[in-house]
Amino acid sequence: MAYDHGAFRVRKLDDAIRFYVDKLGFKLLFQETAEQFGERYAFLEYNGARLELIETLTADYQPQRPERPYCPHLCFETEDMDQVIHMLEENGIEIINGPNEIPGSERWLYFLDSDMNVLEYIIWLDKDKK
């Protein structure tokens, strides 16, 4: 078995694609409409990690602001948290928690996409836990 992708529900697929591509540097792989399921969806990729975004065409989606423990979420590893913080601030992306640190173990923060889906950046300070 191998991991393939994570998925988030979004209000407007085109807006969500712009957020991930323009602000976070994802690459759009493809997008489709599945009329029989009442959905539009897209697959994006970032450093080998794939993400599916799904817009329902038959129901209005109103996302809720997440609460701790911020699950589900998608996490990306970084080597430079200061650079991540600068990139998020520069793009007007809200950090909802962090950066947090467990000394000698890990440092992380959570932020929101444009549809209140939670994403995380992490640095593993103890590479043996990775």
Side-chain angles (χ1 to χ4, degrees):
M1 185 182 308
Y3 179 80
D4 189 81
H5 70 276
F8 286 139
R9 188 173 182 188
V10 299
R11 290 174 283 200
K12 299 288 182 197
L13 185 61
D14 295 333
D15 294 344
I17 290 170
R18 273 192 297 281
F19 175 88
Y20 281 92
V21 170
D22 295 346
K23 294 188 177 195
L24 298 182
F26 278 71
K27 176 185 173 189
L28 174 63
L29 299 175
F30 65 90
Q31 60 181 311
E32 301 284 338
T33 299
E35 294 288 342
Q36 68 273 38
F37 301 113
E39 297 173 351
R40 288 182 64 217
Y41 62 96
F43 272 82
L44 297 95
E45 184 268 337
Y46 184 82
N47 286 340
R50 294 187 341 150
L51 174 64
E52 181 182 18
L53 302 174
I54 304 169
E55 174 189 353
T56 50
L57 301 173
T58 57
D60 187 35
Y61 175 54
Q62 295 300 319
Q64 301 294 316
R65 187 164 181 86
E67 299 175 351
R68 284 187 79 84
Y70 306 116
C71 291
H73 66 264
L74 187 60
C75 182
F76 296 97
E77 185 177 3
T78 183
E79 294 295 324
D80 188 340
M81 190 62 75
D82 292 332
Q83 180 183 354
V84 164
I85 292 168
H86 177 73
M87 179 270 300
L88 294 173
E89 289 174 347
E90 201 170 64
N91 284 291
I93 300 171
E94 178 185 5
I95 296 171
I96 59 169
N97 186 272
N100 302 296
E101 185 170 333
I102 298 173
S105 180
E106 62 216 53
R107 188 171 183 222
W108 72 97
L109 63 77
Y110 296 104
F111 65 100
L112 298 175
D113 74 4
S114 53
D115 291 288
M116 294 194 201
N117 294 302
V118 181
L119 296 111
E120 175 184 8
Y121 275 106
I122 192 166
I123 293 178
W124 292 103
L125 305 172
D126 181 352
K127 298 296 183 185
D128 291 334
K129 288 188 176 182
K130 207 174 134 174

